[in-house]
Amino acid sequence: MKKTLSILLGAMAIAFNGHTNTQTDKTPAPWLKKATDVISYQLKQASNTYKPGQNPRSTNPDGSVRLANYKDWTTGFFPGSLWYGYELTRDKELANQAKRFTLALDSVRYIKNTHDVGFMLYCSYGNAYRITGDKAYLPALADGAQNLYNRFNPKVGAIRSWDFTWWHFPVIIDNMMNLEYLYWASGQFKKPVYADAANTHALTTIKNHFRKDYSSYHVIDYDAKTGSVIAKRTHQGVTDESAWARGQAWALYGYAMCYENAKNETFLAQAENIAKFIMNHPTMPKDKVPVWDFDVHNALGVEEKAPRDASAAAVIASALLKLSTQVKDGQKYFNYAEDILKSLSSDAYLAKPGENNFFILKHSVGAFLYNSEIDTPLDYADYYYLEALKQYTAIKKH
Ligand code: GLY
């Protein structure tokens, strides 16, 4: 009787989560065990090699490590990876290192000239507070959220991404990611206007950033006074009309995350449509790690040779795992994410211990047309890979 009841409860839990995945075995699959060993080794070596406040970002063309100081948009990812590494392994050494590398970023709380404070603070201090509950992390998070919110323009209905002088009021699709910080800060610091701004930004972005096929432009330049669209451009894609791979990944993640926070069905529908665009794209390679721009073959005619972007794949995997828990037929998203994670955990992408400047993944692209970070490791590829593995493990356990 007891057994029948537990089978029944198990089946109900599976139905509730929208999954048909029935694996209950707690032993990690060999690929996951190997990946976790590599992660643990690389993170420990990196945190003993690099100095807090000078975080590993990528690899220079001469093979040396490229470091990020507190002003660099990627600076929060290494401390964030250490926090996720701790959650994956429960190894206290990683938590201690995570704290050291997080606290070195205190000055980020004063940065006002970019939307990237979301990435910089929420991935470092945000994870630190979520995991430890230590209130010492809150003042920096409060200042950063207010600075991010101050960039919201009600006329445009969006947060300004950059202050570069050649744009009027640029909003990049990447900005969707920073809304998570505002949603969290809205509840934490009792500031409903933060969540209102996040919702408005997400709705404005649906209106102006997407094409009919649900691919996204990279940059929309607005008139700050009237809120009208001045131009639709790219910054890191191959052309203005192309689908830059990481941009599509940011979009997918952004709307799944907005739905998680706001429960607005419009956001869920947007996430599903973006997922369809990505998953059905004819140029998606068999291993499901996209080339750096989905349209690069058409634009440059570089069939086969275009470098892959493991960072886009990692963000897509993490986003699809989130989406898999939000819909009834989430198994297709889970399976796709699992395929990506298996690819990234294979020798083709996963570093060998001690190599790759102690980064975990190889083969990402920062900004191809600027000749910057082509086919290198990237700190944010590692961060979203770890986040995805953490989610994957949690869903599998259900
Ligand atoms: N947010 C900048 C990038 O994705 O490269």
Side-chain angles (χ1 to χ4, degrees):
M1 178 64 194
K2 243 187 185 167
K3 202 172 165 202
T4 319
L5 188 68
S6 71
I7 290 170
L8 192 70
L9 287 173
M12 279 166 70
I14 288 159
F16 178 74
N17 283 304
H19 286 291
T20 53
N21 186 343
T22 51
Q23 181 177 334
T24 51
D25 183 3
K26 298 274 187 313
T27 321
W31 68 267
L32 190 52
K33 164 86 177 72
K34 183 183 155 212
T36 310
D37 289 347
V38 172
I39 287 163
S40 174
Y41 186 85
Q42 296 293 81
L43 287 177
K44 282 185 187 176
Q45 291 297 317
S47 53
N48 283 314
T49 303
Y50 304 117
K51 302 268 170 293
Q54 292 292 327
N55 298 342
R57 169 179 165 147
S58 65
T59 291
N60 292 312
D62 67 3
S64 61
V65 68
R66 177 179 177 185
L67 298 171
N69 70 17
Y70 80 93
K71 290 186 182 158
D72 188 302
W73 81 271
T74 75
T75 203
F77 293 119
F78 181 65
S81 290
L82 292 169
W83 286 117
Y84 281 147
Y86 165 65
E87 285 188 295
L88 279 167
T89 62
R90 290 286 148 195
D91 186 331
K92 291 237 165 58
E93 183 185 336
L94 289 177
N96 292 337
Q97 293 287 20
K99 184 175 179 181
R100 233 163 50 94
F101 279 86
T102 297
L103 291 174
L105 299 184
D106 182 68
S107 300
V108 178
R109 67 201 277 189
Y110 305 114
I111 292 179
K112 297 185 171 151
N113 63 356
T114 174
H115 71 121
D116 285 325
V117 289
F119 285 115
M120 296 154 87
L121 283 169
Y122 198 55
C123 300
S124 54
Y125 279 76
N127 277 313
Y129 181 68
R130 177 180 61 77
I131 291 168
T132 65
D134 184 345
K135 291 196 166 52
Y137 293 113
L138 287 177
L141 285 163
D143 286 352
Q146 185 62 40
N147 289 338
L148 180 58
Y149 172 73
N150 289 346
R151 300 180 64 77
F152 178 73
N153 175 329
K155 194 80 204 169
V156 177
I159 293 159
R160 183 179 177 132
S161 298
W162 299 320
D163 286 359
F164 308 146
T165 48
W166 56 92
W167 300 104
H168 299 86
F169 187 102
V171 179
I172 60 174
I173 191 64
D174 325 27
N175 205 329
M176 287 298 302
M177 299 297 287
N178 294 316
L179 304 184
E180 188 166 18
Y181 183 21
L182 282 185
Y183 281 123
W184 170 81
S186 176
Q188 179 67 37
F189 303 117
K190 311 221 174 339
K191 302 257 189 177
V193 288
Y194 290 0
D196 294 346
N199 286 329
T200 305
H201 183 106
L203 290 169
T204 303
T205 300
I206 287 181
K207 199 163 120 215
N208 296 323
H209 255 87
F210 290 89
R211 307 183 185 97
K212 281 206 175 74
D213 62 2
Y214 293 95
S215 68
S216 167
Y217 286 95
H218 187 194
V219 191
I220 304 297
D221 198 15
Y222 291 95
D223 182 321
K225 290 208 179 80
T226 65
S228 63
V229 172
I230 295 172
K232 301 190 175 201
R233 297 258 186 270
T234 197
H235 179 64
Q236 277 154 275
V238 65
T239 68
D240 288 340
E241 289 302 323
S242 75
W244 172 51
R246 196 163 53 255
Q248 313 316 302
W250 294 143
L252 173 63
Y253 189 119
Y255 283 99
M257 175 278 295
C258 284
Y259 178 68
E260 186 176 48
N261 285 281
K263 294 287 175 277
N264 179 338
E265 295 291 327
T266 306
F267 298 155
L268 182 62
Q270 189 72 10
E272 289 217 87
N273 281 319
I274 300 165
K276 212 177 286 169
F277 172 83
I278 293 173
M279 291 162 65
N280 296 332
H281 202 281
T283 71
M284 181 63 90
K286 274 204 183 68
D287 66 4
K288 301 186 170 108
V289 178
V291 295
W292 65 276
D293 187 304
F294 284 108
D295 296 303
V296 70
H297 299 137
N298 299 337
L300 299 180
V302 285
E303 207 71 38
E304 300 300 326
K305 292 208 183 78
R308 305 296 187 83
D309 183 9
S311 76
V315 175
I316 291 167
S318 185
L320 288 177
L321 287 168
K322 204 185 279 298
L323 195 53
S324 78
T325 64
Q326 296 173 329
V327 294
K328 285 215 177 70
D329 56 345
Q331 189 71 40
K332 61 179 184 283
Y333 301 131
F334 180 88
N335 292 346
Y336 200 98
E338 183 176 54
D339 288 349
I340 293 176
L341 290 179
K342 283 182 178 168
S343 294
L344 294 180
S345 305
S346 73
D347 289 344
Y349 296 94
L350 190 69
K352 291 210 169 29
E355 292 183 348
N356 208 32
N357 283 322
F358 305 126
F359 291 99
I360 296 159
L361 294 180
K362 305 178 278 185
H363 304 314
S364 289
V365 174
F368 188 93
L369 294 186
Y370 295 88
N371 208 15
S372 173
E373 298 173 322
I374 299 173
D375 198 14
T376 68
L378 286 172
D379 48 2
Y380 41 100
D382 288 0
Y383 177 86
Y384 289 102
Y385 172 62
L386 294 177
E387 182 182 270
L389 286 178
K390 196 189 95 152
Q391 288 188 83
Y392 175 84
T393 310
I395 295 171
K396 269 283 204 198
K397 272 192 186 142
H398 266 77

